[in-house]
Amino acid sequence: MALPQPAPIFPNADRDPPGRSAALVESYRRLAEVFHHVLSEQSLDSLLDRIADTLDELVPYDALHIYEADENDRSLVPVLARSEWAEEILSNNVPFGEGITGWAVARRQSVLSNRAHLDPRVAFVPGTPPDPEALISVPLVARGSLKGALNIYRIGEAAQFDSDEFELAKWFGDAAALALDNAQVRAQLEFQAQTDSLTGLYNHRYFHERLRAELTRANRARDSVALIMFDIDEFKRVNDICGHAVGDQILIALSETARAIVRASDVVCRLGGEEFAVIMPSCDAASAMGLARRLMHRLERRPIDAAGEVTLSIGVAQGPDHAMNPRELVVCAESAMMTAKARGKNQVVVFDATSVERPQVLRDASDIRSIAHLKMLQSLAGRLSRLNDVREIGEAIVSELRMLIDYHTCRVYAVEVGEVRPIAYRGDLGALDGSDMAPPAVKVGQGIAGHVAATGRSLLVPDALSCEHTMQIPGTAPIDESILAVPLRYGSRVIGIVLLSKLGLDQFDGDDVRLLEVLAGQASVALENARLYEAVRREAENAKAWLEFADAISQADSFEEIASKAVGVVARLLDVEQCSLWLEHQETSDFRCAAQVGYPDLEGGPVTVNPVDTSAALEIASRRRSFLMSARELRQGFWPHAPDGALRACAIAPLSPGFGVRGWLTVRDAGDDIKHFTDERLRLLEGLAYRASVALEKASLHRHQRETAEVASALLECARELATAGGQQDVLERVTAMASRMLSGPRSYVIVESESGDVIEIVAAHGANAGIGPAFPIAEVLRLVDSSEPVVLRPEDMRGVPGAEDASVPVAVARLALSGSRLGYLVVAAADAEHVFGDRKLKLLAGIADQATLALSRY
């Protein structure tokens, strides 16, 4: 059986006229030359030029475009354009699927269209004329991946390409695809060779190459170059305590921070480990000091928050003043950095050959962690990992810690909702009455434990009585004692505190701090796991209540019914008589009671009828967790003039902010008993508020869709009425009348830029004398209305504007897109000073303005 023959490249070659074979051979030869240059790794620009030149000789064209594919953006980026419209072509990307080119790359199928301007897939480049043209579009594919597109054009009614030219263009497309692929591979390899894989910064090798180049340039141009080197303080401690994963997070965050504050010409590098450098061309040491301080201030204001406070020791050197070659300049900057470490870290030092210092390195036995301590820590970590109760973990810590560090008292705290609560303790707090008293809970920020919870930093106090953060426990006598407190961190959160005290002064040292921090790193994981376990258990216990709530809400048909059913079910599940739901009002932006149950009319008047001031309400709505408020706090924050007995202690759960409905649920016990709201009830209330948020969002979206349909119906009516207008002035008069009617405004105007171009005049009005009114300065109008979206101007906004000094009501303004780039606006005045234009009315106004623009374009 005969083998099938491969299809010819040029299928009509056997029927060609004499001399055709020679032309085909020449085409192959020129194509082979192009591939040779592609494989010789010339620059991408020169390769594309060579492909374009050779193709023009074999397949003459009037225009040629080559695009590179951006898979992330799903678009084609022009990299070569030979056309009289090259500037417009190079400034416009082509989305995949758009036009003939987009269609070709989306399907990876070459296209020959000899009547391209009539092709239903055509899309002309903005700014170019829709001339008659023939087009060949070839997707550029290499190694199975889309690299771009090759477009060849012939212009004119008689322009066309034949099938042989189409085949030849596709072969040249393969060369262009290979050129783009080689360029991408080279760029990727160069990038990988020059950058650090973890941070994306330039690496040690590139640093030395670039520093040498900048110093050479500075010497030749009599310029300067500054070098900053900085190192993370105590980074080994972070890796020991928090693990290398957290250490990597810090390195990445620090690199992003440094990259964000440097100049475009500066070069940020990671030299290795926790050491970084910044090369600053045309910069002196003083300017480099400014950048170094900005970096430190940025870390203070926006801490990385992965393992507590991160500080830097920074050294600055200037070339060629301090050194004329790169190796010596690096030594100068590094010496300054080490001097910063020796002087206490967390500072910037400029190189000075007369005052170089080195940090002291401790080499005695106190600097080495003992084998016994390591074994004990390993044993304790194993025991903690098997526990799933928070208090059991606390008891294990105070028990096992006695074998590691001698203490007088040991306290383990959990941090929850702004409070530091003890979960385990051992020792005598020194009660004056001799009782075995427990340590009290404190607010975050109060006392030594609260201060450590707030800052996330360990605190070694050699004399507790002289410490500014000490808070004397009521019922105890002042004593001389030393205190060591270490945070339990989980990620960026402080979830607990371990606090040790010992009688006498200076009883703890740095080794104790380091040991307790290692213990804290292990205990924090166990504590967080136990808290998660308890949370899962609580969720299981509350599942029935949540299902019951969801069942009741699912039967509601409207936003108002959902709100009404929600307060009734919440009151029943939490065993309280009174519950209210407060939501942000769409038009006034204050917060009002949307539904309530159990409030007597007389008593409930000031609580459920009056709106809550926006600033005070946002303080509640912006919280994340449920909380308690006493009657006194309610009076001070919300209702200072409420009658006696109208206010009672309550529990409040903000609605989840992620669902677009802002507000909160409030529950009150009729007996004003704040103890009724246990932690479990607060957590249940929080879960119910979350589910209410979801239900209200769905109802809100349904209402929004209904309003959108109403707007669409009104705009359809507007389009029909404008379609029968008898001229431009008739359009304007109908538009003003419809705007007043649909937006319930007594007056409306169309104002348009005058022919002189310095003022805007009234050209149509409804509810006022047409053509009578002021002319407004264009500059003032643009200052007030600088957006293409509708805006609302209040009387105070228009004060000082000539012609609008007497404005007494708000106005809604929408821009009209008029021919000749003239400015025009549709203005609707409110019925009174208190009238509010809501989102629906502004959308309606924008739609009327669009319809007016379409109608005016016909004249």
Side-chain angles (χ1 to χ4, degrees):
M1 182 175 66
L3 294 174
Q5 296 298 313
I9 298 174
F10 300 107
N12 299 323
D14 57 344
R15 295 191 298 274
D16 285 338
R20 177 65 174 174
S21 297
L24 294 181
V25 171
E26 177 62 15
S27 298
Y28 276 120
R29 187 184 68 79
R30 302 300 300 276
L31 185 61
E33 288 180 1
V34 169
F35 273 100
H36 171 74
H37 287 292
V38 168
L39 297 176
S40 299
E41 297 189 358
Q42 292 187 3
S43 70
L44 177 62
D45 290 342
S46 63
L47 274 175
L48 296 181
D49 281 332
R50 180 177 289 274
I51 291 171
D53 291 340
T54 307
L55 186 57
D56 189 26
E57 296 173 7
L58 299 176
V59 183
Y61 54 77
D62 295 318
L64 177 141
H65 310 163
I66 297 180
Y67 298 89
E68 185 173 6
D70 183 346
E71 290 283 3
N72 294 328
D73 193 39
R74 300 281 298 167
S75 67
L76 296 169
V77 181
V79 293
L80 178 68
R82 292 194 173 181
S83 166
E84 63 176 312
W85 307 100
E87 184 176 346
E88 288 78 7
I89 293 163
L90 292 173
S91 62
N92 285 279
N93 292 1
V94 178
F96 289 4
E98 183 175 303
I100 297 176
T101 309
W103 186 94
V105 298
R107 292 162 177 77
R108 298 194 180 187
Q109 179 179 335
S110 298
V111 174
L112 168 59
S113 180
N114 281 324
R115 304 285 287 171
H117 56 292
L118 302 178
D119 195 304
R121 299 166 294 185
V122 72
F124 292 98
V125 176
T128 64
D131 294 332
E133 61 187 10
L135 166 65
I136 293 176
S137 184
V138 180
L140 305 182
V141 179
R143 296 189 298 162
S145 176
L146 179 67
K147 301 300 177 181
L150 168 67
N151 282 8
I152 309 171
Y153 298 86
R154 285 177 180 164
I155 310 299
E157 288 288 353
Q160 65 175 2
F161 295 96
D162 61 31
S163 58
D164 289 346
E165 290 172 324
F166 184 39
E167 292 297 327
L168 190 58
K170 288 192 285 186
W171 280 97
F172 272 84
D174 290 341
L178 187 58
L180 290 173
D181 183 61
N182 286 348
Q184 292 173 355
V185 171
R186 285 197 301 272
Q188 184 177 7
L189 291 175
E190 289 175 5
F191 178 79
Q192 291 175 349
Q194 294 176 348
T195 55
D196 170 55
S197 59
L198 176 65
T199 63
L201 298 178
Y202 288 112
N203 58 20
H204 185 272
R205 171 188 169 186
Y206 182 84
F207 165 74
H208 285 283
E209 292 175 354
R210 183 63 179 270
L211 182 59
R212 180 178 299 278
E214 290 298 336
L215 267 176
T216 301
R217 180 199 59 80
N219 284 321
R220 184 174 58 251
R222 297 178 181 244
D223 197 0
S224 62
V225 56
L227 175 61
I228 298 175
M229 294 185 67
F230 57 93
D231 182 278
I232 303 175
D233 297 327
E234 303 290 345
F235 190 67
K236 183 178 183 303
R237 181 179 64 84
V238 173
N239 282 331
D240 288 343
I241 296 171
C242 304
H244 288 276
V246 172
D248 287 347
Q249 292 177 26
I250 293 175
L251 292 174
I252 294 170
L254 179 57
S255 67
E256 292 173 350
T257 301
R259 215 165 8 206
I261 66 172
V262 299
R263 304 174 303 170
S265 59
D266 297 336
V267 182
V268 187
C269 307
R270 181 188 177 198
L271 304 185
E274 68 273 23
E275 192 171 308
F276 296 79
V278 182
I279 303 171
M280 304 181 67
S282 301
C283 183
D284 57 17
S287 299
M289 282 280 288
L291 175 63
R293 292 195 177 100
R294 287 198 301 275
L295 178 58
M296 296 179 69
H297 292 161
R298 178 71 67 94
L299 291 178
E300 291 174 1
R301 293 194 308 269
R302 302 177 189 174
I304 292 175
D305 211 21
E309 183 183 35
V310 173
T311 62
L312 305 175
S313 294
I314 305 178
V316 175
Q318 177 182 327
D321 295 40
H322 295 150
M324 299 186 66
N325 67 70
R327 186 175 297 278
E328 291 179 359
L329 189 61
V330 169
V331 171
C332 292
E334 188 175 25
S335 298
M337 181 181 70
M338 289 302 167
T339 301
K341 284 190 176 294
R343 293 178 182 177
K345 305 173 183 177
N346 193 27
Q347 57 186 282
V348 184
V349 173
V350 177
F351 174 73
D352 183 352
T354 63
S355 59
V356 175
E357 302 176 36
R358 303 290 292 184
Q360 295 293 323
V361 179
L362 301 178
R363 299 186 181 278
D364 54 20
S366 63
D367 194 45
I368 304 174
R369 190 179 291 110
S370 69
I371 299 299
H373 281 178
L374 287 175
K375 289 183 177 180
M376 289 181 183
L377 287 172
Q378 185 177 10
S379 173
L380 177 57
R383 179 180 174 187
L384 293 177
S385 65
R386 294 190 294 271
L387 300 176
N388 54 25
D389 182 86
V390 170
R391 297 195 176 276
E392 288 181 0
I393 289 174
E395 291 293 341
I397 292 174
V398 298
S399 175
E400 297 291 337
L401 199 54
R402 172 71 75 181
M403 294 184 290
L404 295 172
I405 303 176
D406 185 27
Y407 62 75
H408 176 64
T409 66
C410 177
R411 300 165 236 173
V412 179
Y413 296 87
V415 180
E416 291 184 0
V417 198
E419 189 177 52
V420 184
R421 297 186 297 102
I423 56 175
Y425 76 96
R426 179 166 299 183
D428 183 7
L429 294 179
L432 294 174
D433 58 5
S435 62
D436 183 18
M437 66 183 302
V442 297
K443 300 283 187 183
V444 171
Q446 293 182 348
I448 291 177
H451 174 75
V452 172
T455 62
R457 290 178 288 178
S458 301
L459 189 61
L460 176 60
V461 182
D463 181 3
L465 293 179
S466 63
C467 178
E468 60 177 323
H469 305 297
T470 298
M471 185 176 68
Q472 190 68 35
I473 298 177
T476 64
I479 56 174
D480 290 332
E481 62 178 345
S482 307
I483 292 180
L484 171 57
V486 171
L488 302 178
R489 300 180 60 91
Y490 190 83
S492 61
R493 296 180 295 117
V494 177
I495 63 172
I497 308 292
V498 178
L499 186 147
L500 303 180
S501 69
K502 192 173 183 180
L503 297 178
L505 307 180
D506 293 312
Q507 296 298 306
F508 299 111
D509 57 21
D511 288 341
D512 295 323
V513 176
R514 186 175 295 106
L515 179 62
L516 197 58
E517 285 178 338
V518 174
L519 168 65
Q522 298 168 343
S524 60
V525 176
L527 183 63
E528 181 67 11
N529 289 340
R531 293 170 70 169
L532 292 174
Y533 176 82
E534 289 185 1
V536 171
R537 179 177 56 81
R538 288 194 300 267
E539 286 288 332
E541 293 172 352
N542 291 333
K544 182 179 179 181
W546 290 338
L547 286 173
E548 183 179 344
F549 180 81
D551 228 14
I553 294 298
S554 65
Q555 299 172 19
D557 296 325
S558 66
F559 189 92
E560 292 73 17
E561 189 178 356
I562 287 175
S564 178
K565 285 197 172 186
V567 294
V569 177
V570 169
R572 177 160 47 83
L573 293 176
L574 269 74
D575 192 24
V576 294
E577 295 183 4
Q578 299 169 348
C579 177
S580 56
L581 172 65
W582 296 76
L583 299 175
E584 183 178 24
H585 195 274
Q586 287 186 343
E587 297 185 347
T588 61
S589 296
D590 57 14
F591 287 70
R592 303 183 181 187
C593 182
Q596 59 87 15
V597 64
Y599 288 84
D601 291 339
L602 293 178
E603 180 187 349
V607 178
T608 58
V609 174
N610 295 338
V612 179
D613 177 73
T614 303
S615 59
L618 287 177
E619 183 181 346
I620 294 178
S622 61
R623 297 199 187 189
R624 294 293 185 267
R625 308 295 300 272
S626 57
F627 59 96
L628 300 174
M629 289 192 77
S630 65
R632 181 176 59 82
E633 291 172 324
L634 289 169
R635 184 178 298 279
Q636 290 176 346
F638 302 101
W639 293 286
H641 305 297
D644 294 338
L647 302 178
R648 293 177 183 167
C650 63
I652 299 176
L655 300 181
S656 180
F659 294 99
V661 181
R662 294 201 294 186
W664 63 86
L665 279 168
T666 298
V667 290
R668 302 199 313 174
D669 183 65
D672 197 22
D673 182 13
I674 203 168
K675 295 180 180 178
H676 176 81
F677 301 110
T678 62
D679 289 346
E680 290 296 325
R681 282 194 170 99
L682 285 178
R683 279 189 282 267
L684 176 57
L685 176 62
E686 196 170 299
L688 295 175
Y690 176 85
R691 282 151 182 81
S693 305
V694 177
L696 290 170
E697 182 206 27
K698 292 180 179 178
S700 178
L701 290 175
H702 177 72
R703 184 167 63 183
H704 174 72
Q705 291 171 352
R706 186 177 68 250
E707 290 178 353
T708 301
E710 293 172 356
V711 170
S713 176
L715 293 180
L716 182 60
E717 176 190 347
C718 175
R720 288 171 178 167
E721 186 166 343
L722 293 180
T724 62
Q728 186 175 21
Q729 188 60 35
D730 191 16
V731 169
L732 296 175
E733 291 173 357
R734 293 190 184 196
V735 165
T736 55
M738 284 186 294
S740 289
R741 184 177 74 252
M742 293 181 178
L743 272 72
S744 303
R747 297 183 306 280
S748 61
Y749 311 87
V750 172
I751 57 177
V752 176
E753 180 182 356
S754 66
E755 293 184 0
S756 62
D758 56 348
V759 295
I760 291 185
E761 301 173 329
I762 297 176
V763 298
H766 178 81
N769 293 327
I772 299 177
F776 307 100
I778 284 182
E780 290 295 331
V781 174
L782 289 176
R783 179 178 64 83
L784 295 174
V785 188
D786 61 352
S787 170
S788 60
E789 298 296 324
V791 298
V792 176
L793 302 179
R794 301 192 176 278
E796 55 267 26
D797 300 327
M798 296 179 279
R799 292 194 186 107
V801 178
E805 300 91 339
D806 299 332
S808 59
V809 296
V811 296
V813 184
R815 181 173 291 179
L816 297 172
L818 302 179
S819 61
S821 301
R822 296 178 67 194
L823 295 175
Y825 301 93
L826 175 60
V827 183
V828 179
D832 53 59
E834 302 300 322
H835 183 84
V836 176
F837 290 99
D839 288 342
R840 187 181 70 84
K841 289 186 177 180
L842 291 180
K843 290 177 182 176
L844 186 57
L845 179 62
I848 295 173
D850 289 340
Q851 293 298 326
T853 298
L854 292 174
L856 290 171
S857 67
R858 298 196 296 266
Y859 302 101

